[in-house]
Amino acid sequence: MTDLSHLADPGTEIAVRVTPKASRNELKADGSSIRIYVTAVPEDGKANAAAVKLLARAIGLPKSRLTLIRGQTARDKVFRVE
């Protein structure tokens, strides 16, 4: 698992690109971009929930500390650490 604990500061905004319906759940970070691949379908927020779960685990925070502030229905999303 990729370690993103340096992003755990409150107020940090994290831009990610989410790919739903992937073959496996995976988070890849290279340089300044973070890509999240989830097996969930993009219906009823299932892919968003799976993305939050993976991102929270990589940062080392509970899911409740991450808030989706932009990109509810888009592939490019911005999360804020609360």
Side-chain angles (χ1 to χ4, degrees):
M1 173 60 70
T2 305
D3 179 29
L4 299 176
S5 59
H6 64 280
L7 298 173
D9 296 329
T12 302
E13 292 188 359
I14 306 164
V16 301
R17 173 163 277 225
V18 177
T19 302
K21 295 173 32 178
S23 60
R24 65 178 178 263
N25 290 327
E26 184 176 17
L27 185 142
K28 292 184 179 180
D30 55 349
S32 62
S33 68
I34 300 173
R35 296 186 63 105
I36 300 175
Y37 301 91
V38 295
T39 57
V41 294
E43 296 173 354
D44 302 323
K46 292 176 186 173
N48 288 344
V52 167
K53 184 177 179 180
L54 281 175
L55 186 59
R57 188 178 318 146
I59 295 173
L61 294 173
K63 295 183 299 189
S64 61
R65 296 271 315 274
L66 289 177
T67 304
L68 178 61
I69 58 173
R70 232 178 357 259
Q72 184 71 30
T73 59
R75 288 177 143 223
D76 295 318
K77 301 179 184 303
V78 178
F79 292 95
R80 179 183 299 133
V81 178
E82 302 297 336

